[in-house]
Amino acid sequence: MDYDADGDLDILSGSYTGELYLFERKADGGFVQGRYLLNNKGEDLKAKALSVTVEAMDVDADDDLDLVLGTRSGAVEIFENVGTRAKPAYTGKSRPLKTVDGEKVKGSNAHHADWDGDGVLDLVLGSEYGGVNWYRNEGSNNAPKYGAQQSLLEDRDWEKRQEDDGPDGAGSRTKVYVTDWNHDGRADLLVGDVQWLYYTLPPLTAEQEAEKLALTPAYEAADAVLDEAYEYRNSFVGKPGGIPEDAKARIKAATEVWSPLAKKMGKFDRTKSNTHGWVWLYLQQPVVEGQQ
C-alpha cells in the first residue's frame, strides 16, 4: 500500500511483540530498512496484544489512513491518524474496534475485503483456534459500521495429530486473505495456519535411562528454584511499584541454571513434534434457493 501518498507501494508489518514497522519504497524499487512507526509523542506504536498484523484504512471519514490491527487473541485495535494522508501521525494509545452493538471485534489479521459482493469492504478475520469470522460493513468504505460476528469457518477443537497422518484442515492462529480464486464471481478464502504434528522416537537405551536418572535430581532442584522465583515475582504483579529488580534478578539467575539442564533432559523425551504452516483454499459455494 502507498503509506505516504508519494505514488509508490510501501510495506506495513506487524510483529509478534506488538510493534509496527514501515518499509518505505526506494526509487530503485527496493525498500529502506524497516523502522518503527511512532505516535505523535515520538514513542513506539505498540499494540496491547501479541502477534499483530496491520492494515491501513480510513475508518473515520477524514480522508487519511488509520491503522487497524488484528491480534492473536485480543480485540482488534485502531490507531487513529491525527495527521494527514501524506504525513501520518498517530494518537498515543489504540482503541478497540467495536460493532454497532458495542461488542469488541476480535480476531487475527484484520483483513478488509468485500465478502458479500455489495461493493463495501467488510472485515474478515482469522482466529487463535482455526476459525474465520466475518463482520459485515453496514456503513461505507471510509466510515465503516460493523454488524455482529458471523462465522465463515468454525473454530476447531485441538487434536494431537501424528506426523504420518498429516493435517486435517486449517490449524491454529489462522491468517486470512479474500480473493476470487476460481473467477466465478464469488469471494473465496485463503487461510494460513500453524500446526504441530507429533512423532515418537524409539525407547531409551539402558545407557540413556541411567543418564536420565543421574540428571533428574539436579533438574528437579533447578526447576523448583525457578518456580519459587516466578512465584516471588508474581506476588508483585498489579501492585504499586511494579516488579522489583531483585525479583527479576532471581529469575535470571535461576534460568541460567535451569536452561542447560532442561535442554539435556529434553533429549530423553520420546514424543517430539514438527512445526508446520499450510495455506488452505476454501471456495465459496453458491447459495441454494431456500437456504441462507
Side-chain angles (χ1 to χ4, degrees), residues 71-73 106-109 124-133 149 153-156 171-176 191-194:
T71 64
R72 177 173 157 186
S73 55
K106 294 185 177 182
S108 60
N109 94 295
V124 183
L125 304 104
S127 76
E128 175 71 3
Y129 304 106
V132 174
N133 297 310
Q149 174 183 294
L153 290 178
E154 296 291 341
D155 284 351
R156 296 166 58 92
S172 302
R173 305 175 192 176
T174 45
K175 304 293 188 290
V176 60
V191 180
D193 72 2
V194 62

Side-chain angles (χ1 to χ4, degrees), residues 96-105 123 135-140 143-150:
L97 180 63
K98 296 184 178 182
T99 68
V100 292
D101 294 326
E103 298 294 326
K104 289 183 178 180
V105 175
L123 199 54
Y135 291 83
R136 184 174 183 271
N137 185 355
E138 300 173 358
S140 62
K145 296 179 180 179
Y146 298 108
Q149 174 183 294
Q150 301 181 57

Side-chain angles (χ1 to χ4, degrees), residues 266-279:
K267 71 180 183 180
F268 301 121
D269 292 339
R270 298 296 87 190
T271 299
K272 302 290 185 179
S273 66
N274 290 322
T275 304
H276 298 276
W278 282 281
V279 176

Side-chain angles (χ1 to χ4, degrees), residues 53 83 90 101 145 156 163 193 200 218 229 241 246 248 250 256 266 272 292:
T53 61
Y90 302 100
D101 294 326
K145 296 179 180 179
R156 296 166 58 92
E163 187 71 52
D193 72 2
T200 303
D246 71 311
K248 298 176 184 178
R250 280 183 62 174
E256 288 175 351
K272 302 290 185 179
Q292 294 293 324

Side-chain angles (χ1 to χ4, degrees), residues 23-97:
F23 298 82
E24 292 183 81
R25 192 71 172 263
K26 297 189 295 186
D28 63 4
F31 293 90
V32 176
Q33 175 66 39
R35 62 176 174 85
Y36 289 139
L37 290 183
L38 306 178
N39 63 26
N40 54 3
K41 297 180 181 179
E43 304 163 333
D44 293 345
L45 280 186
K46 188 171 183 178
K48 297 173 182 175
L50 299 176
S51 294
V52 173
T53 61
V54 56
E55 282 194 356
M57 181 176 176
D58 185 6
V59 299
D60 49 10
D62 61 356
D63 296 322
D64 58 30
L65 296 180
D66 309 294
L67 300 180
V68 182
L69 281 56
T71 64
R72 177 173 157 186
S73 55
V76 173
E77 303 175 30
I78 294 176
F79 279 106
E80 182 183 351
N81 185 355
V82 293
T84 65
R85 177 67 181 85
K87 293 184 178 180
Y90 302 100
T91 50
K93 292 184 178 181
S94 65
R95 61 177 174 85
L97 180 63

